[in-house]
């Protein structure tokens, strides 16, 4: 059976996000879901002939590994138009041409997104229209609240998808199975057994020509405010009764409502860095401040690390350290759960008795669990071993998962309005403290693992 016809309207279709992530994800989805009846309309500011647009779509679909048969008819029927997405007249014309219920994907910077939402709020919209808004949702707590208020005036929440592609990553979704299908983990998933939680997303890539957006965002807003707080929510939440959107998102929201800067002490719970020239792997990288479009006076950080507390019974006293940065030595993308040492080791047992760690790699998809067991030779001397497992790959990449939710009306993997605001609320004291200069902006050489003097957070 085919689903009702949808028209995916991509605003910002000539941009990098569309070519690099959205269309490859869409191609995968169409290959997996033959029941999806889809029309694709691209809207952008750069002129393109129909042939150029179809070539672009084909290249992106192929890059995502789509099967040619599944996407052929979608490509053939796909159209592109130059339009001003902030103009109600232009939007009206676009909707008039949609053969199915429109799902409008905003692959646009936040300031333009706000203007388009304003234009939509003044129009009569097609029944059932869905809006998919890319992160960051707003530019601060105030603007996120205003945007939510405006949306609530003219469209039901279930028709708004705030996209955070980390929620579509199979490794993030795998945490649900790991936690809730294994008594072994869930029973010890609390402050009595866990000492600290780290969520790291170190990237080797630098700015990659994105100064226009990134220089106003920085690592804290680009990665921690959105993606990594979502991961924290999946780690910290209470077990939901079902995985439907109300239960899952409700549990995540509850965890985030309890989250705040460690001891409310921004200077001791956060730090920021900015890369100078260096070499990442074999690639020479110029310093951040010399990149075209960067204004050094803005003091934008390219590496951020913050300690948070989740103030509830389960997590009291356990620091959650979130870190992300660019131009770093290793692409270390993982969640590290460090367990407390055992309360008593039988006298007579010697050797290594290190704290066990569970490491969930977000990329590649792997997990490792350290255990202390009897060592070789003398059974009373302990040794550490590591159990390793690889998570199965999902048929869809993160954007394919996210688009599936948008096109099938399932909001489970999209960020609820209150959660988007909560994430801004959590980082607002850090942004304010940094703005006042209470935390120094430390340099690190591209290709290093961060500023040399940095010690473990939170500082005592
Ligand atoms: C994006 C950020 O949302 O996520 C980028 O804007 C970052 O700066 C990217 O590089 C990381 O996600 P992924 O899935 O590409 O590793």
């Amino acid at each position: 059976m085919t689903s009702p016809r949808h028209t995916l309207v991509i605003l910002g279709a000539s941009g990098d996000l569309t070519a690099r992530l959205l269309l490859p994800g869409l191609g995968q989805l169409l290959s997996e879901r033959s029941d999806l009846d889809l029309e694709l309309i691209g809207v952008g500011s750069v002129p393109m002939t129909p042939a150029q647009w179809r070539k672009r779509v084909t290249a992106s679909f192929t890059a995502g590994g789509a099967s040619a048969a599944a996407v052929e008819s979608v490509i053939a029927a796909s159209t592109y138009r130059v339009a001003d997405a902030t103009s109600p007249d232009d939007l009206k014309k676009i909707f008039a041409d949609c053969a199915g219920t429109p799902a409008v994907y905003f692959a646009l910077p936040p300031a333009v997104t706000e203007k388009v939402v304003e234009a939509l709020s003044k129009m009569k919209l097609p029944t059932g229209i869905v809006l998919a808004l890319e992160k960051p949702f707003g530019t601060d707590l105030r603007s996120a609240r205003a945007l939510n208020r405006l949306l609530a005036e003219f469209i039901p929440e279930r028709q708004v998808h705030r996209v955070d592609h980390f929620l579509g990553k199979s490794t993030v979704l795998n945490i649900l199975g790991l936690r809730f299908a294994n008594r072994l983990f869930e029973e010890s998933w609390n402050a009595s057994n866990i000492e600290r939680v780290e969520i790291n997303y170190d990237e080797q890539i630098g700015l990659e020509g994105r100064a226009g957006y990134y220089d106003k965002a920085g690592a804290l807003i680009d990665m921690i405010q959105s993606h990594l707080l979502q991961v924290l929510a999946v780690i910290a939440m209470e077990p939901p009764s079902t995985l439907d959107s109300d239960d899952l998102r409700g549990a995540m929201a509850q965890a985030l409502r309890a989250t705040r800067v460690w001891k409310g002490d921004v200077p001791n719970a956060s730090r920021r860095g900015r890369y100078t020239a260096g070499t990442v792997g074999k690639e020479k990288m110029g310093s951040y401040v010399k990149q075209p479009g960067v204004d050094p006076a803005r003091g934008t950080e390219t590496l951020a690390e913050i300690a948070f507390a989740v103030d509830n019974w389960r997590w009291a006293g356990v620091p959650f350290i979130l870190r992300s940065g660019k131009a770093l030595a290793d692409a270390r993308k993982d969640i590290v759960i460090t367990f407390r040492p055992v309360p008593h080791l039988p006298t007579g047992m010697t050797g290594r008795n290190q704290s066990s760690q569970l490491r969930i790699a977000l990329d590649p998809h792997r997990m490792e669990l350290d255990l202390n067991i009897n060592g070789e030779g003398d059974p009373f001397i302990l040794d550490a071993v590591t159990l390793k497992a690889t998570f199965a790959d999902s048929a869809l990449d993160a954007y394919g998962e996210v688009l599936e939710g948008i096109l099938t009306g399932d909001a489970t993997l999209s960020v609820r309005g209150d959660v988007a605001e909560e994430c801004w609320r959590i980082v607002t004291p850090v942004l304010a403290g940094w703005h006042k200069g209470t935390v120094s902006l430390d340099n690190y050489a591209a290709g290093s693992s961060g500023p040399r003097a940095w010690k473990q957070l939170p500082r005592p």
Side-chain angles (χ1 to χ4, degrees):
M1 213 178 76
T2 42
S3 64
R5 178 150 240 225
H6 285 283
T7 301
L8 178 64
V9 178
I10 303 182
L11 307 178
S14 48
D16 175 63
L17 174 77
T18 301
R20 222 168 30 86
L21 298 165
L22 265 187
L23 291 176
L26 182 64
Q28 284 176 3
L29 178 63
L30 292 168
S31 307
E32 283 299 307
R33 294 281 307 254
S34 54
D35 60 323
L36 279 183
D37 182 9
L38 189 88
E39 177 193 38
L40 174 65
I41 299 183
V43 178
S45 51
V46 179
M48 251 189 270
T49 63
Q52 281 169 332
W53 167 246
R54 285 199 281 270
K55 193 168 159 205
R56 207 177 151 94
V57 176
T58 309
S60 291
F61 278 3
T62 311
S67 97
V71 294
E72 210 172 2
S73 60
V74 175
I75 297 174
S78 172
T79 56
Y80 176 85
R81 69 194 59 197
V82 176
D84 174 5
T86 64
S87 142
D89 282 346
D90 283 12
L91 289 167
K92 212 155 117 192
K93 282 187 208 134
I94 295 165
F95 295 149
D97 288 348
C98 291
T101 309
V104 183
Y105 199 107
F106 292 63
L108 299 169
V112 186
T113 292
E114 281 169 27
K115 285 193 188 137
V116 180
V117 172
E118 239 177 271
L120 291 171
S121 73
K122 296 184 187 118
M123 296 172 58
K124 182 166 171 11
L125 298 177
T127 313
I129 187 172
V130 166
L131 305 182
L133 307 162
E134 254 296 334
K135 66 124 252 212
F137 183 79
T139 45
D140 56 16
L141 179 56
R142 226 167 59 177
S143 63
R145 276 190 185 143
L147 193 52
N148 271 336
R149 259 200 311 271
L150 183 58
L151 285 163
E153 278 171 20
F154 71 92
I155 188 165
E157 172 68 19
R158 66 174 181 284
Q159 286 167 238
V160 181
H161 290 247
R162 294 170 196 78
V163 173
D164 188 306
H165 77 280
F166 270 46
L167 290 176
K169 280 186 186 280
S170 59
T171 24
V172 175
L173 298 173
N174 281 337
I175 296 168
L176 300 173
L178 186 72
R179 276 192 64 186
F180 303 128
N182 294 289
R183 196 170 263 269
L184 173 70
F185 292 119
E186 194 46 32
E187 295 274 298
S188 50
W189 210 256
N190 51 44
S192 310
N193 297 294
I194 290 177
E195 196 168 74
R196 63 192 269 125
V197 175
E198 287 152 64
I199 303 172
N200 300 302
Y201 212 84
D202 283 11
E203 297 183 288
Q204 289 179 308
I205 54 171
L207 186 58
E208 301 211 301
R210 295 168 74 215
Y213 152 71
Y214 191 90
D215 200 42
K216 294 198 192 88
L220 173 55
I221 290 178
D222 183 46
M223 293 297 293
I224 295 183
Q225 182 273 335
S226 49
H227 303 319
L228 299 195
L229 281 174
Q230 298 298 322
V231 179
L232 175 148
V234 176
I235 298 279
M237 71 183 179
E238 294 304 312
S241 165
T242 72
L243 292 185
D244 78 17
S245 64
D246 282 349
D247 281 346
L248 186 67
R249 299 194 306 170
M252 289 172 70
Q254 192 186 27
L256 288 167
R257 280 199 298 275
T259 303
R260 53 204 101 250
V261 171
W262 184 258
K263 299 190 174 154
D265 181 354
V266 171
N268 281 319
S270 71
R271 50 201 185 187
R272 54 185 179 143
R274 184 166 71 179
Y275 68 83
T276 56
T279 308
V280 183
K282 288 190 178 130
E283 197 195 324
K284 277 201 163 21
M285 214 176 264
S287 82
Y288 177 78
V289 293
K290 293 273 168 60
Q291 303 307 303
V294 168
D295 175 2
R298 273 205 192 99
T300 302
E301 80 288 353
T302 56
L303 172 63
E305 209 175 299
I306 329 266
F308 294 105
V310 180
D311 278 339
N312 58 22
W313 189 308
R314 186 188 280 264
W315 293 115
V318 180
F320 281 69
I321 321 293
L322 274 50
R323 163 184 161 118
S324 184
K326 297 209 181 278
L328 290 158
D330 299 310
R332 177 180 179 192
K333 299 169 182 175
D334 60 8
I335 301 161
V336 182
I337 315 271
T338 304
F339 291 91
R340 294 188 190 284
V342 292
H344 173 72
L345 195 66
T347 310
M349 220 155 224
T350 56
R352 292 171 60 140
N353 175 30
Q354 61 184 35
S355 299
S356 297
Q357 279 189 339
L358 170 65
R359 290 178 295 278
I360 303 168
L362 293 169
D363 186 14
H365 308 178
R366 263 201 319 250
M367 61 166 265
E368 295 181 354
L369 175 67
D370 297 335
L371 293 177
N372 296 309
I373 59 163
N374 302 45
E376 211 182 321
D378 184 341
F380 298 110
I381 301 179
L382 293 169
D383 206 354
V385 289
T386 301
L387 307 182
K388 297 182 183 168
T390 303
F391 289 122
D393 277 335
S394 150
L396 299 176
D397 284 347
Y399 271 91
E401 293 280 358
V402 163
L403 283 166
E404 184 172 31
I406 293 165
L407 295 171
T408 59
D410 179 356
T412 310
L413 300 185
S414 80
V415 178
R416 217 168 60 184
D418 58 326
V419 168
E421 289 181 27
E422 215 46 59
C423 291
W424 279 113
R425 192 269 306 153
I426 293 166
V427 301
T428 296
V430 184
L431 290 167
W434 289 6
H435 188 68
K436 275 196 235 139
T438 54
V439 175
S440 60
L441 178 61
D442 302 327
N443 284 331
Y444 63 97
S448 69
S449 53
R452 277 206 211 110
W454 281 12
K455 304 235 164 61
Q456 206 181 45
L457 279 185
R459 296 189 190 92

